[in-house]
Amino acid sequence: MDLKNIELKNSVNSWIEAILDAVFPSSCRICGNKLDINRKACICLSCWNKIRIITQPACVSCGKQLKLQHELFCGDCSRNKMSFLDNRSAAVYDDVMREAIHLFKYGDKRKLGKHFGDLLVEYLRQNGALDGINAIIPVPLYKNKRRDYNQSRILAEYLGEEFNLPVYNDVLLRVSDTRAQHGLKKEERIMNVQGAFSVRNAGRIKQAIVLLVDDIFTTGATADECTRTLLAAEANSVRVVTLARGE
């Protein structure tokens, strides 16, 4: 099936879903209330509005929400320097955002990608993080763990289209079948991803300022290891953008 037919099929499916939802309204996957026209895919507007957007002050290095206006760095970044220049996250990873990202990743709710993409775009337009960027690269999944889609790739491609930047999905590869980072201590997270990535087609990023895109930033272990791999392949520098940041 060629691209035009695929696009037509997706468009028809979207219309069918819209009609079915209008006739047989579905429920919000978070609170259970009936969805209306203001929904964000499978999430009602009321739940969506509970997402906590990160505001200033935020750590200039990792993007963590801070409490005191005079603070520049969080405690971790005051003690340890990451390999990337900085991370910017749109929202705090708690409550609704945690459930929404889980639906996006594991609930086959890829339509949330558009709404998450819009959230990221608006945040970046207000808070920067794209100055001087030459290329966008998503954090990859391991080949044997790939679902129907990579949520980080969806976000990266959305940003690439909105900001007219090239997205390279075949440069950074995950070559090791690592454990899920969730539930691991910081030191375990670091060890878990060591040597987990490699670069192909390195010429595309030589001396480039790369924007690395992922869904969640917690300790920064994955972003840091990806950055080290990209810098070893002669990228000039790496900045990171993530949908949500752990507290």
Side-chain angles (χ1 to χ4, degrees):
M1 183 178 293
D2 61 29
L3 182 58
K4 288 185 178 180
N5 286 335
I6 292 174
E7 292 177 346
L8 178 60
K9 180 180 179 181
N10 289 340
S11 178
V12 170
N13 287 340
S14 295
W15 276 106
I16 291 173
E17 288 185 13
I19 293 170
L20 288 175
D21 284 345
V23 178
F24 305 105
S26 53
S27 300
C28 173
R29 291 293 299 273
I30 293 178
C31 70
N33 290 332
K34 293 296 182 182
L35 292 171
D36 60 22
I37 195 170
N38 294 314
R39 71 183 66 184
K40 301 292 183 179
C42 61
I43 299 174
C44 71
L45 187 62
S46 176
C47 284
W48 186 267
N49 287 338
K50 293 176 182 176
I51 290 174
R52 292 169 55 198
I53 302 300
I54 292 177
T55 58
Q56 295 301 322
C59 177
V60 298
S61 179
C62 74
K64 183 177 183 178
Q65 180 76 73
L66 300 176
K67 295 181 179 179
L68 302 178
Q69 287 294 331
H70 68 273
E71 288 184 292
L72 293 177
F73 298 94
C74 68
D76 286 339
C77 291
S78 296
R79 295 185 293 270
N80 303 298
K81 181 175 175 55
M82 295 288 191
S83 301
F84 48 83
L85 293 179
D86 55 18
N87 169 69
R88 290 293 172 265
S89 301
V92 177
Y93 184 61
D94 69 350
D95 302 331
V96 171
M97 183 54 98
R98 181 182 292 109
E99 293 187 55
I101 289 179
H102 191 273
L103 287 169
F104 183 35
K105 294 171 67 169
Y106 306 112
D108 196 27
K109 300 299 180 184
R110 70 187 77 191
K111 287 185 178 180
L112 279 168
K114 175 190 182 304
H115 303 290
F116 282 145
D118 287 338
L119 186 67
L120 264 182
V121 167
E122 180 63 23
Y123 185 83
L124 293 176
R125 283 181 173 151
Q126 293 183 13
N127 296 277
L130 291 178
D131 295 341
I133 295 297
N134 304 121
I136 300 177
I137 293 178
V139 172
L141 296 175
Y142 185 62
K143 60 183 179 180
N144 290 343
K145 286 188 176 179
R146 286 176 184 162
R147 300 179 290 275
D148 289 340
Y149 58 93
N150 176 356
Q151 71 282 352
S152 298
R153 177 172 176 172
I154 289 176
L155 295 173
E157 291 178 345
Y158 199 93
L159 294 181
E161 182 175 348
E162 287 292 323
F163 294 105
N164 195 28
L165 290 167
V167 179
Y168 298 139
N169 296 308
D170 57 351
V171 169
L172 185 65
L173 308 176
R174 190 184 290 258
V175 295
S176 177
D177 187 7
T178 57
R179 290 186 291 165
Q181 294 282 70
H182 177 70
L184 298 181
K185 296 179 180 179
K186 182 176 180 179
E187 296 75 15
E188 293 174 325
R189 288 171 181 259
I190 294 171
M191 293 295 296
N192 188 42
V193 294
Q194 281 187 353
F197 303 94
S198 69
V199 167
R200 185 172 63 184
N201 303 315
R204 291 186 177 182
I205 60 167
K206 187 173 183 179
Q207 296 307 307
I209 301 175
V210 174
L211 183 71
L212 182 71
V213 178
D214 204 1
D215 55 349
I216 307 167
F217 187 107
T218 47
T219 64
T222 299
D224 194 55
E225 185 65 21
C226 287
T227 297
R228 291 175 185 275
T229 305
L230 293 168
L231 294 177
E234 299 187 60
N236 177 286
S237 56
V238 177
R239 305 184 74 179
V240 184
V241 164
T242 48
L243 186 58
R245 172 70 170 89
E247 291 188 279

